[in-house]
C-alpha cells in the first residue's frame, strides 16, 4: 500500500481513532449513536471492493499457473491446516471455560433476551444442503449476495478454463490482472477513510451499550480474550516449529488489517488490505487469493473457539452438570457444524443455540451474552483474520513458494 514519507502511519491513525471513539462514545453517547451511518457507510465501501477483487485475483493467480493439480494440492494442504487450527481452537476454548468458570455466579436475569434466543433455537443449519449450495446457479446472484464460497468455486473453474484456452484466453486474463490492480488502488483510496470509519463504529458501540455492560459479564469477556490470545500464541508456536519461521514478523506485517478487523468486527472490512499485506510479505498472489477467502469460510478459529466456550458458559450459568466426556462429544459436533457457515446470518448464534439444545442446555441462556456480543465479536473476528493469514503463510512454505531468501527481505520491510 502506498504511503507518504511524512505524517502518522495509517495503523497509528486507526489505533488513535479507536481510543478516541471509545472516549467520545462514553462522554457523548447520543452523538456516538448518531455516527452509526458513517460507520455503516465505511463498511459498505469495503464490501463493494471484495467481490471484484477476489474474482479478478483468483483468475489472475490460477490462469498464471494453469495447473489444476497444483490447485488441488493447495486445497488439500489448506484443509489439513484448517483442521489442525480448528481442533486447537476448540480444545483451548474447552480448557479455558473449565479452568476459569466464566458462567459461575452470573445472574440468569442479566440482559436475557428470550425472544432472540428462541428465534435462534428455531433455526438449523442443513450441512447437506450447504454442500449443495456451494455450486452457484447464478454467479451474478452469488456476487450480489457476497457468497464467498460460490464466488471462489466459479472463479476457480473460470481461471482454469481461461488458462486451458491458451492464446484465446489471454485477453481475459489480461483484463483480470488489470481489474485486480485497479481494485488494489481502489482499496488504498478507501483505506484513507479507515480512521473515520473506525471512530464512528466504536463511538456507536460504546454510545449504545455503554461501558457498564461489561461489568456483569467481565469474566466471560476476559475468559474469551485470554483464550483467543492463548490460541494465537499456541498456533504461532506450532506453525513456527513446523515451517521454521518467525511469525512475529508476520503479525507486524498484518497489524493494520488486525486493527481494522477488531474495530469494525467485520472480516470483509479487513480482507482486501490483508491480501495486500500478505503479498507484500512475500506470499504469492495465487496462494493469497485462494487460501484467504476459503479460510474465511472454513477456518473461523475465533468463532469456533467462542462457540465452545459459550456452550459451556451456558451450562455453568444454569449450574447444569456437563461432564468432560459430554464436552468432548460437543467438540466433535462443533467441529462439523462450524464449517462453511460464514455466509449464514447470525451463524455463531445459531450454532451455539443448536448445540445447546442438542445437549439439553437452556437455549435462552444465549440471551445473557447478547448484550456484550459486539465486544466478543471484535476479538473473535481479529482472531479469524490472524488464523487465516497464518494459514496462507503455512501453505506457501509447504509449497516452497516462500523461501528463506524472501523471508529475510520481508523481515526488513516497513509495513506502516
Amino acid at each position: 500500500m502506498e504511503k507518504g514519507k511524512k505524517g502518522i502511519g495509517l495503523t497509528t491513525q486507526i489505533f488513535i481513532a479507536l481510543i478516541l471513539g471509545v472516549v467520545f462514545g462514553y462522554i457523548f453517547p447520543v452523538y456516538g449513536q448518531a455516527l452509526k451511518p458513517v460507520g455503516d457507510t465505511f463498511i459498505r465501501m469495503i464490501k463493494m471492493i471484495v467481490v471484484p477483487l477476489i474474482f479478478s485475483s483468483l483468475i489472475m493467480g490460477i490462469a498464471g499457473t494453469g495447473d489444476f493439480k497444483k490447485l488441488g494440492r493447495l486445497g488439500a494442504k489448506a484443509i489439513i491446516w484448517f483442521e489442525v487450527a480448528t481442533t486447537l481452537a476448540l480444545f483451548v476454548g474447552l480448557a479455558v471455560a473449565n479452568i476459569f468458570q466464566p458462567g459461575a455466579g452470573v445472574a440468569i436475569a442479566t440482559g436475557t433476551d428470550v425472544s432472540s434466543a428462541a428465534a435462534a433455537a428455531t433455526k438449523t443449519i442443513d450441512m447437506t444442503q450447504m454442500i449443495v449450495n456451494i455450486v452457484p446457479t447464478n454467479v451474478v446472484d452469488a456476487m450480489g449476495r457476497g457468497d464467498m464460497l460460490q464466488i471462489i468455486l466459479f472463479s476457480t473453474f473460470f481461471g482454469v478454463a481461461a488458462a486451458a484456452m491458451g492464446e484465446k484466453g489471454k485477453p481475459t486474463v489480461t483484463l483480470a490482472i488489470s481489474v485486480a490492480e485497479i481494485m488494489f488502488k481502489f482499496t488504498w483510496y478507501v483505506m484513507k477513510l479507515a480512521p473515520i470509519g473506525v471512530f464512528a463504529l466504536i463511538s456507536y458501540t460504546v454510545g449504545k451499550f455503554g461501558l457498564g455492560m461489561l461489568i456483569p459479564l467481565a469474566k466471560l469477556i476476559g475468559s474469551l480474550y485470554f483464550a483467543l490470545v492463548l490460541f494465537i500464541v499456541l498456533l504461532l508456536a506450532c506453525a513456527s516449529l513446523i515451517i521454521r519461521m518467525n511469525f512475529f514478523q508476520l503479525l507486524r506485517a498484518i497489524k493494520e488489517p488486525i486493527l481494522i478487523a477488531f474495530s469494525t468486527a467485520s472480516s470483509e472490512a479487513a480482507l482486501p488490505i490483508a491480501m495486500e499485506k500478505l503479498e507484500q510479505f512475500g506470499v504469492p498472489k495465487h496462494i493469497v487469493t485462494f487460501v484467504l477467502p476459503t479460510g474465511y469460510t472454513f477456518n473461523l478459529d475465533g468463532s469456533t473457539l467462542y462457540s465452545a466456550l459459550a456452550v459451556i458458559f451456558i451450562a455453568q450459568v444454569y449450574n447444569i452438570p456437563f461432564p468432560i466426556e459430554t464436552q468432548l462429544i460437543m467438540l466433535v459436533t462443533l467441529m462439523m457444524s462450524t464449517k462453511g457457515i460464514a455466509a449464514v446470518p447470525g451463524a455463531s448464534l445459531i450454532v451455539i443455540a443448536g448445540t445447546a439444545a442438542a445437549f439439553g442446555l437452556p437455549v435462552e441462556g444465549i440471551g445473557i451474552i447478547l448484550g456484550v456480543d459486539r465486544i466478543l465479536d471484535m476479538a473473535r473476528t481479529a482472531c479469524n483474520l490472524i488464523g487465516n493469514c497464518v494459514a496462507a503463510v503455512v501453505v506457501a512454505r509447504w509449497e516452497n513458494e516462500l523461501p528463506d531468501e524472501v523471508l529475510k527481505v520481508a523481515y526488513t520491510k516497513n509495513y506502516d
Side-chain angles (χ1 to χ4, degrees):
M1 179 168 289
E2 295 182 24
K3 49 188 179 297
K5 295 180 180 179
K6 297 181 180 180
I8 302 174
L10 184 59
T11 304
T12 306
Q13 292 178 33
I14 294 171
F15 182 75
I16 293 173
L18 181 66
I19 300 301
L20 292 178
V22 172
V23 175
F24 185 85
Y26 178 72
I27 298 176
F28 307 107
V30 176
Y31 293 109
Q33 293 181 61
L35 290 176
K36 186 177 187 296
V38 178
D40 289 344
T41 300
F42 173 69
I43 295 295
R44 290 174 71 92
M45 291 180 71
I46 289 291
K47 287 184 176 181
M48 73 179 176
I49 297 171
V50 173
V51 172
L53 178 61
I54 295 297
F55 180 67
S56 58
S57 297
L58 268 174
I59 293 172
M60 176 175 60
I62 293 170
T65 60
D67 190 343
F68 198 55
K69 289 183 179 179
K70 183 176 182 178
L71 187 66
R73 190 171 65 246
L74 283 177
K77 290 180 178 179
I79 290 173
I80 291 173
W81 181 254
F82 291 164
E83 286 303 319
V84 170
T86 300
T87 302
L88 178 62
L90 286 169
F91 276 101
V92 169
L94 181 73
V96 170
N98 281 281
I99 293 172
F100 290 95
Q101 300 279 317
V106 175
I108 295 178
T110 302
T112 302
D113 187 340
V114 178
S115 60
S116 297
T122 61
K123 299 179 182 179
T124 58
I125 297 176
D126 188 333
M127 298 302 295
T128 302
Q129 190 59 42
M130 187 180 295
I131 294 173
V132 172
N133 288 340
I134 292 175
V135 181
T137 57
N138 185 333
V139 69
V140 176
D141 174 63
M143 290 180 174
R145 290 182 291 104
D147 191 321
M148 200 59 64
L149 200 54
Q150 291 188 354
I151 295 169
I152 291 171
L153 183 70
F154 177 82
S155 301
T156 298
F157 277 99
F158 191 96
V160 171
M165 291 294 291
E167 289 296 323
K168 291 183 179 180
K170 278 189 175 181
T172 300
V173 177
T174 302
L175 176 62
I177 294 173
S178 180
V179 170
E181 294 300 327
I182 290 172
M183 294 314 299
F184 276 120
K185 186 67 174 179
F186 194 166
T187 301
W188 183 74
Y189 290 140
V190 173
M191 290 314 299
K192 287 292 183 180
L193 302 174
I196 298 174
V198 167
F199 176 83
L201 287 164
I202 294 299
S203 295
Y204 165 74
T205 300
V206 176
K208 182 176 177 61
F209 300 105
L211 296 178
M213 68 178 180
L214 307 179
I215 298 174
L217 297 175
K219 198 172 181 181
L220 171 62
I221 298 170
S223 296
L224 178 65
Y225 274 62
F226 173 78
L228 292 174
V229 171
L230 177 61
F231 163 74
I232 291 170
V233 170
L234 292 175
L235 183 72
L236 294 179
C238 292
S240 297
L241 289 174
I242 294 173
I243 62 176
R244 297 179 182 178
M245 68 165 284
N246 184 358
F247 273 95
F248 289 104
Q249 297 295 336
L250 173 63
L251 292 180
R252 183 174 66 88
I254 61 172
K255 60 182 182 295
E256 195 172 298
I258 291 173
L259 265 177
I260 293 171
F262 179 80
S263 55
T264 63
S266 169
S267 297
E268 289 178 322
L271 180 58
I273 186 64
M275 292 173 63
E276 187 167 354
K277 291 297 184 182
L278 282 174
E279 287 185 45
Q280 288 181 12
F281 189 73
V283 182
K285 184 182 290 288
H286 66 276
I287 292 180
V288 172
T289 54
F290 180 78
V291 175
L292 214 58
T294 306
Y296 269 74
T297 302
F298 289 107
N299 189 42
L300 301 175
D301 299 327
S303 298
T304 301
L305 187 154
Y306 167 69
S307 298
L309 191 147
V311 172
I312 300 175
F313 170 81
I314 292 173
Q316 293 170 352
V317 167
Y318 288 90
N319 199 27
I320 297 174
F322 203 47
I324 190 66
E325 297 84 2
T326 308
Q327 292 183 29
L328 292 175
I329 298 173
M330 177 201 68
L331 293 192
V332 176
T333 303
L334 288 173
M335 191 176 296
M336 295 184 292
S337 61
T338 54
K339 296 299 182 185
I341 62 169
V344 180
S348 294
L349 192 66
I350 297 171
V351 168
I352 294 169
T355 306
F359 287 88
L361 302 177
V363 178
E364 57 268 22
I366 295 175
I368 300 173
I369 60 178
L370 287 179
V372 295
D373 189 61
R374 169 78 183 191
I375 304 299
L376 303 176
D377 194 18
M378 292 165 66
R380 62 181 185 253
T381 301
C383 182
N384 290 340
L385 171 75
I386 295 172
N388 286 315
C389 289
V390 171
V393 173
V394 168
V395 172
R397 290 284 282 176
W398 275 355
E399 284 289 291
N400 295 317
E401 294 195 44
L402 187 58
D404 292 336
E405 295 74 20
V406 174
L407 285 177
K408 289 178 182 177
V409 175
Y411 291 163
T412 63
K413 288 181 181 177
N414 178 18
Y415 295 95
D416 199 5

